[in-house]
Amino acid sequence: MLSANVISGQVDHALGYTHNDMGPLRLHRPLIRATRVQTLAISSTLMAGSSLLMGSLVMVGAVGLMGMHAAHLPLLWLYSVCVIAVSGIGALTLLVVFGTPGMLVVTLVFVGMAVPTANATMPLQALPGFYRFLAEFEPLRQITGGIRSILYYDAQADAAGLTRGWVMMAVGLAAAALFGFGMTSWYDRKGLHRIPAETKPEMTAAPALRNAAHPRRGHCSEWPRCASPPWGREVRAPSGPAAVSPSRPSSSL
């Protein structure tokens, strides 16, 4: 769950969707418009790759530093890597599908309801019926059974739940892939993008008025003299005989 939160946050930062605070500094990358399906695919690939490193570090700490007995070390390492990858991809699916509320869902599924049903410190027979029902598919119970079989029952497939662990791990991975990529592809088809595409404002061209620039056009018989705007050349009245207006004949006395 912790690795899923880290990978989800770093992928969002690399794509430019969120800021990344490093002490007093706030880093922000240019936005790369990736679909939700692409985001989940990138996160899942990083989770699968990082599970190799995390599984190896667990083996180094438990077997190398603490001296834990592991007669089937390669199988234990492989099982641990697969557990980390499947659990991380499941957590990433919930984070991508539900967004911020997905953190609460991940905490309930992988911690709140998983620890009591793990069948590790408390037997399932001592739990209420609700928790016994959850133990049928909760991931931590399947993980505990497989690890117990490898460490204490000579990695026998049917002794303490190793076969059940592999089967439930495959079922969980398939369910996470179907649910995650199905929901994200539906989001993308509906246009529910994380940041809506920028829309350009519509350009509305006002109709050009022919006489707007030259208000006297059409009212003056001599166009070149009337063509000057009010702030330009002075408009003069035409001279000559045409300028003399006919007067009314005077009455003879």
Side-chain angles (χ1 to χ4, degrees):
M1 184 183 71
L2 179 61
S3 59
N5 287 329
V6 172
I7 290 177
S8 177
Q10 292 302 314
V11 169
D12 288 344
H13 168 65
L15 295 177
Y17 288 103
T18 59
H19 298 281
N20 190 13
D21 293 330
M22 302 293 292
L25 302 178
R26 167 163 288 192
L27 305 178
H28 186 68
R29 291 178 176 271
L31 178 62
I32 300 176
R33 294 192 177 275
T35 63
R36 295 178 184 270
V37 173
Q38 292 172 342
T39 303
L40 180 57
I42 294 171
S43 302
S44 300
T45 303
L46 292 176
M47 187 74 240
S50 61
S51 64
L52 298 172
L53 176 61
M54 289 184 285
S56 301
L57 292 177
V58 170
M59 294 298 104
V60 170
V63 179
L65 298 179
M66 302 179 64
M68 185 186 73
H69 175 72
H72 303 276
L73 183 59
L75 180 60
L76 182 62
W77 175 83
L78 178 62
Y79 191 81
S80 301
V81 168
C82 294
V83 163
I84 295 172
V86 173
S87 301
I89 293 174
L92 286 172
T93 297
L94 297 177
L95 291 175
V96 171
V97 171
F98 295 105
T100 301
M103 297 182 182
L104 179 60
V105 179
V106 169
T107 303
L108 291 176
V109 173
F110 290 93
V111 179
M113 295 186 299
V115 173
T117 61
N119 196 24
T121 59
M122 183 177 297
L124 294 178
Q125 292 76 10
L127 297 176
F130 174 71
Y131 285 102
R132 290 199 298 269
F133 169 74
L134 292 179
E136 296 298 325
F137 55 87
E138 274 291 332
L140 194 54
R141 189 261 175 105
Q142 328 307 327
I143 296 171
T144 303
I147 296 295
R148 180 187 292 118
S149 177
I150 295 173
L151 291 178
Y152 303 112
Y153 291 92
D154 199 23
Q156 298 180 19
D158 299 329
L162 183 57
T163 300
R164 178 189 177 92
W166 285 115
V167 171
M168 294 302 292
M169 196 183 306
V171 172
L173 180 60
L178 291 176
F179 178 67
F181 287 104
M183 291 299 297
T184 52
S185 62
W186 182 76
Y187 290 161
D188 292 335
R189 288 196 305 269
K190 290 294 183 179
L192 303 175
H193 303 295
R194 303 181 67 181
I195 296 181
E198 296 180 358
T199 57
K200 296 183 179 179
E202 297 182 358
M203 301 298 293
T204 57
L209 298 178
R210 183 177 181 181
N211 296 330
H214 308 288
R216 294 182 60 83
R217 185 176 182 180
H219 300 282
C220 180
S221 59
E222 296 183 17
W223 163 247
R225 295 189 178 183
C226 303
S228 300
W231 57 85
R233 186 175 56 187
E234 179 182 0
V235 178
R236 297 179 180 179
S239 61
V244 179
S245 59
S247 59
R248 297 177 62 182
S250 58
S251 58
S252 59
L253 298 175

